[in-house]
Amino acid sequence: MSDVYEALQKIVGEDYVSNRTEERYFYGRDPGLMPPHEPDYVVMPKTTEEVQEIIKLANMEKVPVTPKGGGLALTGLVIPLKAGIVMDMKRMDRILEVNEKASYVVVEAGVTHGALKSYLQKYHPHLRHSIPDSPPIATIVANAVIHGQGRLTQQRGFNSDMVSGLEVVLGTGEICRIGSCALSSQWFSKGPPMPDLSGLFLGWFGSTGVITKLGMKLYPCKRIRDVMLFLTDKAELVPEIIRKLTHTEMFEDIVVSGQPIPLRFKGNFYILVFMTADSDEELEFKKKMAWDALWVYFESRDGGFVSVTPDMKPALLAMPSKDTTKFADVSKGGGFEYSGPITPIDNFPIFVKKLEEKAEEYKLFYGYAARVIDAGHSMMFPFSYTFNRADPDEMKRAKKAMDEAVEFALEKGGVIWKPNINEQQMIMERIDPNTLKLMTSIKQLLDPNGIMNPGNWEAK
Ligand SMILES: Cc1cc2nc3c(=O)[nH]c(=O)nc-3n(C[C@H](O)[C@H](O)[C@H](O)COP(=O)(O)OP(=O)(O)OC[C@H]3O[C@@H](n4cnc5c(N)ncnc54)[C@H](O)[C@@H]3O)c2cc1C
């Protein structure tokens, strides 16, 4: 093992590899509920070639490698289940290109959402990307790897749908380009009109290779952003309300949120409708479209728009929203995890009911911010509970509540988003056997020695 340490030092330099107790402790856990497991080494490569050398070494020595971005996926996806090397991507932090005309950016794997947001605001203020509500140290690449969602998801689909090319080091150590960048210097398409091979890496949690560069589509950054707030106390109306809003094709993002405290929130469904405009006229027109779409609920007294006062707006419009991060500490002790099935929006009422039932049964605090995906084709519904990390009993209760909610979501046809390894097993037990065979063959081909984030997407 000391040979591996020395070989890693030769590849990245002695400052960027560690087997010290404190680093192994830190890199052995994440903020969620999955049990910790420490790596043997932590390494921070700076270049694609260094990543390649590390993977070649890992293949030779049969040492597992777990890539890590911000470590904020919460479901244990960066915990090195079989020890070995955690590869922290943070030194690969260059924004390599912004193509103004074709509207895309090419970033290295360690570039964070916060860094890209600041860069675009400064140098390309008329362009933007889809920012998730995770803390700003979340990486663009890892967020795409887990099919994350951000402020443009209602209009444009998952953040991974906005990927426009990849550079990957396969589990065998070969470097491979995916999309238009495989045959030219342009990163405008991740596949079409060729076969879309990005699916061999997005959604695999690093178990097929390490993404070293990624192209991401950019979209117009309009001058004004605003938000409207629609309130109803009838969960069964929420899917129809969403359909009426998405039908207008006017809005940037639609998020339905709720929580039981303060009491005025309990039993109410807050539908946040975000919009952008280049002029006051455009903004007023969009607001009128929202009013017209939902007027029927006003008349039936089933819901209405609530005034958003100027002091409420900065918090509601912040990107990322700070409210989710604050929610993480509601129980004090900073524990928070959510399992978010991607589901048809019609499941919203029964999922809210289940979330509340489990909170009551296990005496937990809950909250949710469900995001509409791709014009209402689906929604991410988070079963989210907070817990005090210093209270093992509360953590156990939160885990039980989440496991049972996930079981329920799968029964109702939801697909678990960023599943932890137990949830991956639940998916693989239910999935079409030929699909599972195909997944296993793909993994075997790209990572024949099973060194890449082992334990993930591995059928028992
Ligand atoms: C308060 C809060 C709010 C959140 N809100 C949102 C939200 O609105 N939208 C959303 O999408 N998510 C949200 N999340 C979840 C999560 O934080 C984000 O999805 C985040 O972008 C994950 O990125 P990361 O860099 O932390 O990933 P990590 O946890 O570091 O990694 C995730 C997965 O990607 C793999 N990986 C990392 N780098 C690479 C690489 N270079 N190549 C291959 N595989 C790699 C890892 O092995 C792991 O399996 C939220 C989380 C919190 C705590």
Side-chain angles (χ1 to χ4, degrees), residues 341 347 349-355 357-358 383 402-414 416 426 430:
N347 274 337
I350 55 168
F351 280 17
V352 169
K353 196 159 165 256
K354 184 57 71 178
L355 173 75
E357 263 172 36
K358 291 292 151 200
F383 287 100
M402 200 108 64
D403 287 350
E404 289 168 26
V406 161
E407 188 78 52
F408 176 79
L410 279 169
E411 258 169 47
K412 298 294 170 197
I416 307 306
M426 288 161 87
R430 287 164 172 80

Side-chain angles (χ1 to χ4, degrees), residues 6-109:
E6 279 161 25
L8 287 171
Q9 275 189 328
K10 278 201 187 112
I11 297 169
V12 295
E14 58 187 46
D15 287 347
Y16 299 110
V17 56
S18 173
N19 58 2
R20 283 195 298 269
T21 314
E22 55 273 35
E23 257 103 26
R24 290 177 48 226
Y25 177 90
F26 177 80
Y27 284 91
R29 59 207 73 225
D30 78 355
L33 284 164
M34 295 308 283
H37 196 266
E38 292 184 6
D40 299 306
Y41 315 100
V42 179
V43 64
M44 290 185 186
K46 179 71 184 156
T47 63
T48 301
E49 289 67 32
E50 287 182 5
V51 173
Q52 182 182 39
E53 287 307 305
I54 295 165
I55 299 293
K56 281 184 177 167
L57 171 74
N59 264 300
M60 220 158 59
E61 301 289 338
K62 309 280 182 295
V63 179
V65 179
T66 302
K68 178 178 182 290
L72 289 167
L74 304 175
T75 44
L77 302 176
V78 291
I79 296 176
L81 302 170
K82 300 194 180 159
I85 301 168
V86 168
M87 187 187 285
D88 185 331
M89 307 306 293
K90 66 161 65 81
R91 288 179 67 228
M92 296 185 68
D93 59 355
R94 289 180 306 157
I95 296 170
L96 298 168
E97 180 196 355
V98 171
N99 188 315
E100 287 253 353
K101 290 189 179 136
S103 299
Y104 65 77
V105 59
V106 183
V107 297
E108 288 187 324

Side-chain angles (χ1 to χ4, degrees), residues 30-31 66-74 76-78 87 89 109-110 113 131-135 137-150 159 201 204-207 209-212 321 323-326 328 336 338 371 380 417-418 453 456:
D30 78 355
T66 302
K68 178 178 182 290
L72 289 167
L74 304 175
L77 302 176
V78 291
M87 187 187 285
M89 307 306 293
H113 279 281
I131 300 174
D133 282 325
S134 32
I137 59 156
T139 58
I140 315 272
V141 164
N143 181 259
V145 164
I146 64 169
H147 295 304
Q149 309 104 46
N159 289 352
F201 307 98
W204 287 87
F205 310 143
S207 69
V210 183
I211 297 173
T212 42
S321 155
D323 290 345
T324 332
T325 310
K326 277 190 211 146
F336 150 63
Y338 63 103
R371 178 170 264 134
M380 189 280 293
W417 175 48
K418 61 181 177 64
N453 208 354
N456 285 281

Side-chain angles (χ1 to χ4, degrees), residues 103-124:
S103 299
Y104 65 77
V105 59
V106 183
V107 297
E108 288 187 324
V111 172
T112 64
H113 279 281
L116 181 59
K117 180 184 160 200
S118 309
Y119 185 87
L120 292 176
Q121 275 173 349
K122 192 162 174 195
Y123 299 109
H124 306 274

